[in-house]
């Protein structure tokens, strides 16, 4: 779930508490080149203010016009836009794009306040809306579960579906953590060194003083988890990398030159990791952007994380170190 959609829900709650009538609009299904995915949110206030988007085009304008005409529903209702090419052009959708939306008045905000409170504690939450009754209930969800709608019940995930563990709490780690938060990662920084504890003050992240390998084992990295080692200290990085490479984590990377990456792989081979596991290590970490500053290097790492998460070939990657000797 995009953090921007949580911002939409916060705005909806604020407007409702201010005494305004509020409607939530959710993208239910898309066909063709629709610009916003299922689950994307928009909210409308009675006075015409809007937060979020469902198309980035004229659909929003039409919804505002319907609001002003008093045509928005008083119960959860489905509506479609862009069914024909002419309508797609009228509503600013890409050629052939179609949106199916759910419009619902925001009456009960108890679930909304609870959802925002639970996601603020990094909980994974699923909203379940029964269309017939308009009743919403919240349930815990598994990491990786997605948006679903069967015609009767809406199941909408909220909370960080992805997790990034950063080993080391230096400048680069803080820059990467800020970017990862905007990319909807739950961020956990691990650094047992006393001198780095005071400097980590980034809101919205967790900080652990455990030994990195102990933390990796305790977290149980899954296929929606990533780990990046940034300390330059083999005593901290290598054991965490060893455990992460044995896990289903979708991304494992480590900062270092080609030479240091080769030496690291030689050390990892001593820990009873096989060649396939060691080959999963992204090193040198990040895409080749010519990055020099901590912020620029963080951009290169964040870009690689997104590319791997989306299954895109890493065409702009520095050549790896030479293969390990047999």
């Amino acid at each position: 779930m995009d953090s921007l959609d949580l911002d939409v829900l916060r705005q909806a709650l604020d407007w409702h508490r201010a005494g305004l009538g509020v409607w939530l609009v959710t993208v239910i299904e898309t066909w063709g080149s629709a610009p916003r995915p299922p689950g994307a949110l928009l909210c409308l206030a009675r006075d015409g203010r809007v937060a979020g988007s469902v198309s980035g085009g004229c659909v929003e304008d039409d919804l505002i016009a319907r609001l002003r005409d008093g045509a928005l529903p008083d119960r959860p209702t489905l509506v479609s836009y862009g069914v024909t090419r002419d309508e797609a052009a009228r509503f600013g959708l890409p050629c052939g794009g179609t949106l199916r939306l759910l419009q619902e008045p925001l009456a009960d905000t108890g679930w909304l306040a609870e959802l925002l409170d639970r996601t603020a504690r990094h909980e994974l939450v699923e909203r379940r809306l029964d269309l017939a009754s308009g009743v919403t209930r919240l349930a815990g969800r598994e990491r990786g579960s997605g948006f679903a709608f069967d015609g009767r019940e809406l199941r909408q995930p909220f909370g960080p579906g992805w997790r990034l563990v950063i080993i080391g709490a230096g400048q680069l780690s803080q820059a990467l953590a800020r970017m990862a938060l905007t990319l909807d990662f739950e961020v956990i920084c691990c650094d047992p060194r006393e001198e780095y504890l005071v400097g980590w003050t980034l809101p919205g992240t967790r900080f652990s003083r455990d030994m990195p390998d102990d933390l990796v084992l305790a977290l149980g990295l899954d296929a929606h988890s990533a780990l990046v080692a940034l300390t330059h200290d083999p005593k901290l990085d290598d054991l965490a990398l060893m455990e992460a490479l044995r896990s289903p984590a979708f991304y494992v990377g480590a900062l270092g030159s080609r030479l240091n990456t080769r030496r690291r792989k030689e050390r990892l081979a001593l820990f009873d990791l096989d060649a396939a596991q060691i080959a999963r290590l992204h090193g040198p970490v990040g895409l080749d952007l010519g990055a020099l500053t901590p912020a620029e290097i963080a951009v290169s790492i964040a870009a690689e994380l997104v590319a791997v998460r989306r299954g895109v070939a890493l065409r702009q990657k520095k050549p790896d170190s030479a293969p390990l000797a047999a």
Side-chain angles (χ1 to χ4, degrees):
M1 170 53 59
D2 195 325
S3 60
L4 295 177
D5 292 320
L6 285 175
D7 290 340
V8 171
L9 294 182
R10 292 186 190 97
Q11 185 63 77
L13 183 59
D14 288 345
W15 284 340
H16 187 275
R17 286 173 171 172
L20 296 172
V22 179
W23 283 260
L24 292 178
V25 182
T26 307
V27 177
I28 295 295
E29 293 177 289
T30 66
W31 296 269
S33 302
R36 293 286 281 144
L41 281 169
L42 173 145
C43 69
L44 296 156
R46 174 74 72 182
D47 61 5
R49 283 182 285 177
V50 178
S53 68
V54 291
S55 77
C58 295
V59 170
E60 283 82 357
D61 292 340
D62 186 70
L63 290 169
I64 293 169
R66 296 177 64 191
L67 170 69
R68 289 172 175 164
D69 292 340
L72 287 185
D74 58 4
R75 57 180 302 277
T77 305
L78 298 173
V79 62
S80 295
Y81 285 91
V83 175
T84 67
R85 286 181 179 271
D86 288 344
E87 288 173 325
R90 174 189 168 198
F91 292 114
L93 298 174
C95 182
T98 303
L99 297 175
R100 191 181 187 197
L101 307 177
L102 171 66
Q103 307 166 102
E104 54 176 314
L106 185 60
D108 172 24
T109 59
W111 67 268
L112 183 48
E114 180 185 348
L115 186 150
L116 292 172
D117 180 62
R118 290 173 64 175
T119 54
R121 298 197 302 268
H122 304 287
E123 290 187 37
L124 306 180
V125 183
E126 183 176 76
R127 179 198 180 198
R128 298 178 182 177
L129 169 67
D130 180 76
L131 261 66
S133 65
V135 173
T136 285
R137 60 190 178 94
L138 301 180
R141 73 175 181 90
E142 296 296 324
R143 190 179 302 276
S145 61
F147 180 90
F149 177 67
D150 61 7
R152 299 182 302 275
E153 184 181 57
L154 169 76
R155 293 194 171 198
Q156 191 170 13
F158 292 91
W162 302 87
R163 175 170 54 185
L164 173 62
V165 180
I166 301 174
I167 309 301
Q171 275 189 319
L172 172 56
S173 298
Q174 296 203 35
L176 177 59
R178 289 187 181 93
M179 295 176 191
L181 289 172
T182 66
L183 295 170
D184 297 302
F185 282 92
E186 174 190 1
V187 178
I188 304 167
C189 180
C190 179
D191 200 324
R193 298 172 295 184
E194 186 72 30
E195 58 270 26
Y196 283 90
L197 172 62
V198 176
W200 190 271
T201 58
L202 192 58
T205 65
R206 291 169 53 192
F207 188 90
S208 171
R209 296 183 62 190
D210 293 340
M211 288 302 294
D213 53 320
D214 291 338
L215 176 66
V216 171
L217 287 172
L219 290 173
L221 302 186
D222 58 18
H224 288 78
S225 300
L227 180 140
V228 181
L230 302 177
T231 72
H232 282 301
D233 184 345
K235 297 190 299 297
L236 298 178
D237 287 346
D238 285 4
L239 291 177
L241 291 169
M242 175 187 70
E243 298 300 344
L245 290 169
R246 288 173 173 163
S247 77
F250 79 91
Y251 180 96
V252 181
L255 187 68
S257 66
R258 295 180 184 86
L259 177 59
N260 284 338
T261 296
R262 175 175 173 77
R263 289 173 175 169
R264 177 177 286 113
K265 289 183 175 181
E266 290 171 345
R267 293 195 302 269
L268 290 172
L270 301 176
F271 288 113
D272 198 28
L273 293 174
D274 60 37
Q277 290 171 325
I278 295 174
R280 296 183 58 223
L281 178 66
H282 289 270
V285 72
L287 299 183
D288 187 5
L289 307 180
L292 295 176
T293 68
E296 290 173 347
I297 297 169
V299 168
S300 75
I301 298 171
E304 186 170 56
L305 278 168
V306 171
V308 174
R309 183 169 73 175
R310 298 301 185 193
V312 175
L314 301 179
R315 297 183 181 90
Q316 198 162 330
K317 180 72 177 171
K318 288 182 180 179
D320 198 354
S321 55
L324 292 176

